[in-house]
Amino acid sequence: LLRFAAAASKVEVFMPAEVEVEIGGTARIECSFLIPDNGSYAYINWFYIDRGNRVRLYHITSEDTLEEDTEYKERLSLGKDNALSISAVRLHDPRTFVCQVGAGSYGVDEKHTKLLVYKIPEAPEITARSGGISVQNSDISTIAQCVSRNSFPAPNITWHKNDEQLEESSKVKMTFTLTLESSGLYTVTSGLLARVTRQDRHSLYHCAVHYRLHGQTHTLASRRVGVTVFYPAEHIKLQVMPSSALVKEGDDVQLVCEADGNPAPVFSFYKRELDDWHDLSTLAESGVLNLHDVNKNSSGLYRCQTLDLDDMRVMEKDVELTVNYIEGVHVDMEPSSALREGDSVKLSCDALSPVDLDFHWRDQKGRKVGEGNQLFLSNLTFETPNNFICKVMAPSVPGLEQSKQVAVTVEDKPRIVAVSSPLYVQQGEVVNLTCKAIAHPRPSLRWSVNGTAHEFGDDQHVGSNLTVRVSHDLLRAGARCRVSNALGVTEQHIQLLDQKSSESKGVIIVAIIVAILVVAVLGSVIYFLHKKGKIPCGRAGKQDITKPEACKDKSLVDVKSDKLSEEAGLLQGANGEKRPAADQVGQSVGHCP
């Protein structure tokens, strides 16, 4: 208790142990104090220690503030709380500053603060080795250089491989160089040396600069860089592009040879010819052998050979190239003898190929008519298509196909397919007679009458239009169309009919048909009225519907007799100008016999 009272009876000063400020910034050093009984200070002195001696900066009383003439004079200032500020901090400003407070009867106390200055280093710059490094080198080789500039105090540099920090060993060495620039700042340079392996072809290296600030360590990292590693090939690969299974005649093919060494080895290409290897290296470039417009003779065993210039080791790889093809497409016809109309024929298609084949048949118009290597055609006619195409395809090799066309010819005597008969004409008029026929070999066509003929047709068809004036003899006898070839003759009669006779007979026929229709309608009306009770039955069971009341007891005519009379009258009216029976009945209406 007495000790606490003694401490409380004196003035006490408080200051931070250290103040850090970046070069060029402003340093603020605070000084606070405690005087018992809320007493006032008598004075405050600010000093800095220079080579063990105190140099006063300020003497402060309640009445006045005295600033001493020192090297800091132009850069010093005091705050309202009597804190000391130093602007534009320089490299040589780091010193110890003392704040001394005098409080009369409460005595004197002082504390000190160490001013530290710093400059954050620039981000490190890394430069990788420009040339390659061989794994065959037994000594360590320079991997990269790292530089960090304008820092204070000097920072540390560390090296990292694939983000893992490297430590010095028999296979890893690091160099460091510290340079004090004219500005008073430091430049740090470091080099990384190491042995490389095949796996280092994918490794990434970087350096990091470490500096302390406010009691903590901070880090700036460089970019990642890789190095070129030279190593011999361990494996070689040779492949056909596109896949050998899909190569067909006419394709362009590449044989691609690849080795996993760096740099790439020297490639050579060969093809097996009988018991020797034929050099094809002149056709190759950068490990690629180009084969243009290949055919079945391009098939065979190919070899890629590599020479590693680093250790002079030779490696080789073989590949079989198969060029798919279709050849010898032919179509056999059975029977092979001449075909007649009504015959049947079998077409057989075959070809040579190292792969399975499909067969499709089409006619000369491109229409699909069958599948499989055989096509059966029955009941052949002249109209049967002359040409059929066998299309041979390899399903396993897209685009590989061949076609063969075969002619199916039907030979027979002519067959007349169209004539203008019967033909209604008038004597003396000019008419056209037409006759068309089909046959193979091509037939000739002749007329039995004279006239002006115009022929038309193609290899199988023939036709003729004959312009002729109708005479009495032509009307009576007609004309004949005669078509012939080496296999036979066919004739067709063209009948000519007199148009006037035909018209007269037509009028008679029409009159008879009309009369029959009138009788049928009249009979239907009478039957309908009888069913409705409009005609009561007399003694004979019939009654004239046209008789007046006074004549109802007499029968005018028998219906059956009337019908016969009417039919007879109609026929007489048509030929003998007699009136129909219906007219006679009409005359008796209103009279009693």
Side-chain angles (χ1 to χ4, degrees), residues 122-176:
E122 295 178 6
E125 298 177 0
I126 188 171
T127 304
R129 182 189 180 111
S130 58
I133 306 172
S134 174
V135 298
Q136 306 291 343
N137 291 351
S138 58
D139 297 332
I140 58 176
S141 304
T142 299
I143 302 296
Q145 292 283 338
C146 182
V147 178
S148 177
R149 296 181 173 87
N150 299 323
S151 61
F152 188 88
N156 294 323
I157 291 181
T158 57
W159 283 96
H160 303 260
K161 172 183 171 181
N162 297 327
D163 293 328
E164 291 187 4
Q165 185 172 337
L166 295 173
E167 302 292 341
E168 286 202 357
S169 66
S170 61
K171 297 181 180 180
V172 178
K173 297 295 181 182
M174 302 173 196
T175 62
F176 297 94

Side-chain angles (χ1 to χ4, degrees), residues 353-423:
S353 177
V355 294
D356 293 337
L357 300 176
D358 284 347
F359 299 85
H360 299 272
W361 296 88
R362 295 186 181 275
D363 63 15
Q364 59 196 21
K365 293 184 178 180
R367 297 172 299 193
K368 186 175 180 180
V369 295
E371 293 184 354
N373 68 324
Q374 291 186 337
L375 177 66
F376 295 91
L377 303 173
S378 59
N379 194 24
L380 298 175
T381 66
F382 291 127
E383 290 81 7
T384 301
N386 298 100
N387 296 306
F388 291 87
I389 299 171
C390 173
K391 188 174 183 179
V392 187
M393 298 183 296
S396 61
V397 186
L400 181 58
E401 57 183 49
Q402 293 286 345
S403 297
K404 185 69 175 180
Q405 180 173 293
V406 62
V408 177
T409 303
V410 176
E411 298 182 353
D412 211 333
K413 70 176 184 178
R415 172 161 51 86
I416 296 176
V417 295
V419 292
S420 53
S421 177
L423 183 65

Side-chain angles (χ1 to χ4, degrees), residues 236-251:
I236 183 173
K237 180 173 66 174
L238 179 61
Q239 57 182 342
V240 179
M241 303 292 289
S243 170
S244 181
L246 301 178
V247 176
K248 62 182 182 298
E249 284 193 317
D251 284 349

Side-chain angles (χ1 to χ4, degrees), residues 19-23 89-94 115-119 152-153:
V19 170
E20 289 183 291
V21 63
E22 187 172 11
I23 293 175
V89 172
R90 302 168 185 173
L91 277 174
H92 60 266
D93 285 343
L115 178 61
L116 303 176
V117 298
Y118 66 90
K119 179 67 171 69
F152 188 88

Side-chain angles (χ1 to χ4, degrees), residues 538-539 542-544 547-557 591-593:
R539 284 179 301 174
K542 300 172 182 64
Q543 187 170 341
D544 187 357
K547 287 178 65 175
E549 188 71 23
C551 303
K552 286 183 179 179
D553 57 338
K554 294 185 178 180
S555 176
L556 181 63
V557 65
H591 299 279
C592 294

Side-chain angles (χ1 to χ4, degrees), residues 4-274:
F4 174 77
S9 64
K10 292 183 64 176
V11 63
E12 189 173 3
V13 177
F14 305 93
M15 290 182 69
E18 293 179 347
V19 170
E20 289 183 291
V21 63
E22 187 172 11
I23 293 175
T26 298
R28 188 174 188 274
I29 304 173
E30 296 180 349
C31 176
S32 60
F33 48 87
L34 182 62
I35 300 175
D37 301 327
N38 291 325
S40 299
Y41 65 89
Y43 61 89
I44 299 175
N45 288 325
W46 277 101
F47 304 93
Y48 70 90
I49 307 299
D50 182 20
R51 292 187 290 273
N53 299 318
R54 289 191 177 196
V55 179
R56 191 167 71 176
L57 296 171
Y58 280 106
H59 177 71
I60 307 166
T61 65
S62 58
E63 290 84 12
D64 195 12
T65 299
L66 175 63
E67 180 180 1
E68 302 292 343
D69 187 9
T70 65
E71 61 181 285
Y72 291 102
K73 186 172 183 179
E74 299 298 328
R75 298 185 289 131
L76 292 179
S77 63
L78 286 173
K80 292 181 179 180
D81 58 352
N82 295 311
L84 179 67
S85 294
I86 305 173
S87 62
V89 172
R90 302 168 185 173
L91 277 174
H92 60 266
D93 285 343
R95 289 186 172 98
T96 299
F97 290 83
V98 179
C99 176
Q100 183 185 73
V101 178
S105 61
Y106 294 107
V108 178
D109 192 20
E110 64 182 27
K111 292 292 189 298
H112 60 270
T113 295
K114 188 175 182 179
L115 178 61
L116 303 176
V117 298
Y118 66 90
K119 179 67 171 69
I120 296 176
E122 295 178 6
E125 298 177 0
I126 188 171
T127 304
R129 182 189 180 111
S130 58
I133 306 172
S134 174
V135 298
Q136 306 291 343
N137 291 351
S138 58
D139 297 332
I140 58 176
S141 304
T142 299
I143 302 296
Q145 292 283 338
C146 182
V147 178
S148 177
R149 296 181 173 87
N150 299 323
S151 61
F152 188 88
N156 294 323
I157 291 181
T158 57
W159 283 96
H160 303 260
K161 172 183 171 181
N162 297 327
D163 293 328
E164 291 187 4
Q165 185 172 337
L166 295 173
E167 302 292 341
E168 286 202 357
S169 66
S170 61
K171 297 181 180 180
V172 178
K173 297 295 181 182
M174 302 173 196
T175 62
F176 297 94
T177 302
L178 183 62
T179 303
L180 179 61
E181 306 292 346
S182 59
S183 61
L185 301 178
Y186 291 100
T187 294
V188 183
T189 303
S190 179
L192 174 64
L193 299 90
R195 289 190 62 183
V196 295
T197 64
R198 183 186 185 90
Q199 288 69 32
D200 287 328
R201 68 189 186 276
H202 301 306
S203 296
L204 293 177
Y205 300 86
H206 79 274
C207 60
V209 176
H210 308 276
Y211 62 94
R212 290 189 62 81
L213 180 62
H214 305 306
Q216 294 182 339
T217 300
H218 299 267
T219 301
L220 292 174
S222 71
R223 62 188 177 90
R224 272 73 172 165
V225 297
V227 294
T228 301
V229 179
F230 295 145
Y231 47 89
E234 294 180 350
H235 304 91
I236 183 173
K237 180 173 66 174
L238 179 61
Q239 57 182 342
V240 179
M241 303 292 289
S243 170
S244 181
L246 301 178
V247 176
K248 62 182 182 298
E249 284 193 317
D251 284 349
D252 293 336
V253 178
Q254 289 185 331
L255 270 64
V256 181
C257 190
E258 297 175 333
D260 59 355
N262 186 42
V266 177
F267 296 96
S268 300
F269 287 90
Y270 304 89
K271 183 187 178 187
R272 184 75 172 178
E273 299 286 355
L274 298 178

